[in-house]
Amino acid sequence: MRRLVYFVLVLVVTAVLAPTIHAAPAATIYVSNTNDSGAGSLRGQIAAAAPGDTIQFDASLSGQTITLTSGEIIIDKNLTIDGSTLASPVTISGNNSSRIFYLSSSAVSMTSLRLINGNGAGSSACDGGAIYLSGSATLTVDRSEFDNNHASCNGGAIYLFVNSGLTLTNNTFTNNSSLYAGGAVRVANTPSVTVRGNTFVGNTSNEGGALWLSATTLVENNTFFNNNGRVTIYTYETLTLTNNTFVGNDGVTVRNSVAYLHMRNNIIGSCVVAGGTISTNINNWIVDGSCSPAYSGDPHLMALADNGGPTQTAALQPDSPAIDLGISAYCPATDQRGVARHDGDGNGVATCDLGAYETGTMQCSISQGNNYTFANQSNVSLYVNTSSDLGCLYVEELPVNHPNATGVTNGQHLQTGKYWRIEGFQSDGVTLANTFNVNLTLPYASADSTTRVCKWLEGSGAGYGWDCDDAGATHTTYSAAVSVTRSGLVSLSEWAVGQNVGPTAVSLQSLSTNSSTAVLPIILALILLAVGTGTVIVRRRS
């Protein structure tokens, strides 16, 4: 009897502990070549992976292209495909002959991939040019690109069907197309979809140039530009639009008797109700005045550009009437770039700007002897010593490396992820036509003969590259080992200041002094577009 009890206890303990003892942890598997199939290929590694594994890419595949020659890759297990470790995204091409991925009842996450030339064509595969989701499959895509994918039916880049789920963040959809619905994305009978921080450019379909939605969908902080398909977004169910920017004629259509549209703080080109109801219509700017908006007319948008963040955006011009019009209760915490929303025009009212882009600060009524204090840099101010026609200063902090910041100089990382744009305007918002001289003063500890104050010459009419005024030269002075000043320069000046700084140094690192003898560079890039005959000084506040 005692042996029987012992035997039963062993069986129970083994049964309880067996899953813990034998469960294999999720693995990371690396793609090592660009082959269509076989050992080390993307297709081969996906087939070999266990549910829950992560697929990554060997560093040698940075910027390389994997071209599919034997059809789409089927994913029927939970996987993460992560290209974020590469310096440049890996490209996966459907070779204009097949779809790229088919997801079947799986949860898949994709990051930092570039999917191009996918082709959903033919009677059995006419939906979803790059990705098709079926059954209960769910897909999360972040910081990826979809370019030139085509579906001969629906969903030029992505097609969802039945109970699939989709989350899209920080992606770019460019020149994707479908014949019927959803030039970029077509959603059919899906519980919920989130589209946040994406840019849709030049996508085309008969209905819904960018998105065709039959789902409860949140679309927030996105930019839509030049999409074609009667209108940019078609919705058949419940759609919530918050702080999106539709450039030009891009707009939204509500079409279905049970469709509901909630829209708040958007800039939209046009709006059509062909069935259904606009349930919420708060502080929207609709260019053509359709759908009874709070505001209409020209919102004064800049061209689509890299304004920082993972996707391109259409910035508001400094004189845009859409600045500071958002209802704070609905403002997302950040804009499409990840920049914090704030009081856009400096009037003390806690609101955000309309659309996906949050501007910098316009400080008007600048007069002789006034200071502008930089946000998040309380020890630095911009001093304006002029009584000319300068009425406003527009100051914007861009959360991106300056385009002229490269690599490392003297052990210091120069790609610092931040620089400022400063522009002068007349009191009526018109850009000043001429330039004024600028003096740049920055706090700097232990300034000596190794210190340089450099100016980027391109665009100034003086040549190309960096002009670094060495110690003791005409335009460089030091003040009691506290600051460095370079004077006598005019418009479009991009500046770099630092110890042993070389001709690639730009962007803001920090603007605080350092008591150590091994001083870190204090690096700043300013694009100055201003006018008059006065002087601008950036200096440390006492």
Side-chain angles (χ1 to χ4, degrees):
M1 183 66 180
R2 184 177 298 172
R3 289 182 179 178
L4 178 60
V5 171
Y6 176 77
F7 179 72
V8 170
L9 287 174
V10 170
L11 289 178
V12 171
V13 171
T14 301
V16 171
L17 295 180
T20 303
I21 294 172
H22 298 290
T28 298
I29 301 174
Y30 286 87
V31 176
S32 58
N33 59 62
T34 61
N35 298 340
D36 171 71
S37 61
S41 69
L42 175 62
R43 189 188 303 271
Q45 297 299 62
I46 287 175
D53 282 354
T54 295
I55 306 291
Q56 291 189 343
F57 300 85
D58 186 83
S60 64
L61 299 185
S62 176
Q64 300 299 305
T65 299
I66 298 170
T67 300
L68 305 185
T69 57
S70 57
E72 67 190 11
I73 297 175
I74 297 175
I75 302 178
D76 58 1
K77 66 194 81 172
N78 297 347
L79 284 180
T80 295
I81 304 176
D82 181 8
S84 64
T85 60
L86 298 178
S88 297
V90 66
T91 297
I92 307 169
S93 171
N95 203 25
N96 291 312
S97 60
S98 73
R99 186 188 296 126
I100 298 173
F101 292 114
Y102 181 98
L103 276 57
S104 174
S105 301
S106 54
V108 177
S109 175
M110 298 181 181
T111 302
S112 300
L113 304 177
R114 185 168 180 260
L115 305 184
I116 70 169
N117 300 336
N119 189 2
S123 59
S124 62
C126 68
D127 295 317
I131 302 176
Y132 185 103
L133 284 79
S134 69
S136 59
T138 63
L139 174 64
T140 299
V141 187
D142 182 53
R143 288 168 289 158
S144 296
E145 299 177 33
F146 293 81
D147 186 21
N148 197 41
N149 299 286
H150 174 72
S152 58
C153 292
N154 306 289
I158 301 175
Y159 180 86
L160 289 78
F161 185 66
V162 191
N163 292 318
S164 303
L166 179 66
T167 300
L168 299 173
T169 57
N170 308 313
N171 305 290
T172 300
F173 293 81
T174 308
N175 298 327
N176 302 284
S177 62
S178 68
L179 182 60
Y180 300 127
V185 179
R186 205 281 202 185
V187 175
N189 304 316
T190 299
S192 65
V193 172
T194 298
V195 181
R196 181 181 285 118
N198 305 276
T199 295
F200 297 83
V201 181
N203 302 286
T204 303
S205 186
N206 183 53
E207 290 187 346
L211 303 173
W212 193 103
L213 304 168
S214 180
T216 299
T217 307
L218 170 64
V219 177
E220 180 180 275
N221 272 341
N222 301 276
T223 298
F224 300 88
F225 173 70
N226 200 29
N227 298 282
N228 300 292
R230 295 190 186 175
V231 78
T232 304
I233 298 180
Y234 262 72
T235 181
Y236 272 60
E237 293 191 21
T238 300
L239 170 63
T240 300
L241 291 175
T242 304
N243 280 91
N244 300 280
T245 297
F246 295 71
V247 182
N249 295 322
D250 281 34
V252 61
T253 288
V254 186
R255 185 179 176 184
N256 191 359
S257 61
V258 295
Y260 297 93
L261 174 61
H262 304 275
M263 52 182 180
R264 303 166 298 207
N265 295 346
N266 300 281
I267 296 175
I268 302 175
S270 62
C271 174
V272 175
V273 179
T277 304
I278 298 180
S279 300
T280 308
N281 188 357
I282 298 175
N283 270 45
N284 296 289
W285 188 295
I286 302 181
V287 175
D288 66 1
S290 54
C291 294
S292 302
Y295 311 99
S296 61
D298 184 359
H300 293 196
L301 297 174
M302 293 184 182
L304 200 67
D306 180 3
N307 296 305
T311 53
Q312 289 193 327
T313 50
L316 294 170
Q317 294 178 19
D319 63 341
S320 171
I323 291 174
D324 210 31
L325 287 183
I327 298 296
S328 59
Y330 303 117
C331 298
T334 66
D335 72 357
Q336 182 174 337
R337 302 167 299 160
V339 174
R341 296 276 184 177
H342 64 281
D343 173 18
D345 65 1
N347 68 1
V349 179
T351 58
C352 65
D353 299 339
L354 299 184
Y357 185 95
E358 189 75 14
T359 64
T361 299
M362 176 80 83
Q363 189 169 98
C364 293
S365 300
I366 299 295
S367 60
Q368 187 171 5
N370 279 2
N371 286 288
Y372 168 77
T373 301
F374 283 77
N376 305 318
Q377 296 291 342
S378 60
N379 63 322
V380 176
S381 66
L382 185 70
Y383 177 74
V384 180
N385 182 19
T386 178
S387 57
S388 67
D389 59 346
L390 178 64
C392 298
L393 280 178
Y394 174 78
V395 182
E396 181 175 18
E397 182 181 292
L398 297 175
V400 65
N401 292 324
H402 190 281
N404 296 324
T406 57
V408 177
T409 294
N410 299 308
Q412 303 301 329
H413 292 271
L414 302 176
Q415 294 180 328
T416 59
K418 182 188 294 186
Y419 73 99
W420 277 301
R421 169 174 167 258
I422 301 175
E423 190 167 355
F425 286 82
Q426 298 180 58
S427 298
D428 58 4
V430 177
T431 304
L432 297 170
N434 301 307
T435 64
F436 56 66
N437 293 331
V438 289
N439 288 356
L440 179 68
T441 302
L442 295 174
Y444 194 77
S446 303
D448 57 29
S449 61
T450 66
T451 304
R452 301 289 183 268
V453 183
C454 305
K455 173 185 178 278
W456 181 254
L457 295 175
E458 185 179 10
S460 67
Y464 179 87
W466 287 97
D467 169 21
C468 293
D469 199 43
D470 292 348
T474 305
H475 299 103
T476 298
T477 58
Y478 309 112
S479 174
V482 173
S483 65
V484 179
T485 300
R486 183 166 178 186
S487 60
L489 299 173
V490 295
S491 88
L492 286 175
S493 297
E494 300 176 12
W495 303 81
V497 178
Q499 199 167 40
N500 294 302
V501 103
T504 58
V506 355
S507 295
L508 175 72
Q509 173 69 33
S510 69
L511 291 176
S512 59
T513 58
N514 190 320
S515 59
S516 171
T517 56
V519 183
L520 293 177
I522 300 170
I523 302 167
L524 177 65
L526 296 177
I527 300 178
L528 301 172
L529 296 172
V531 189
T533 58
T535 302
V536 173
I537 303 174
V538 179
R539 66 182 184 184
R540 188 184 182 196
R541 300 175 69 194
S542 58

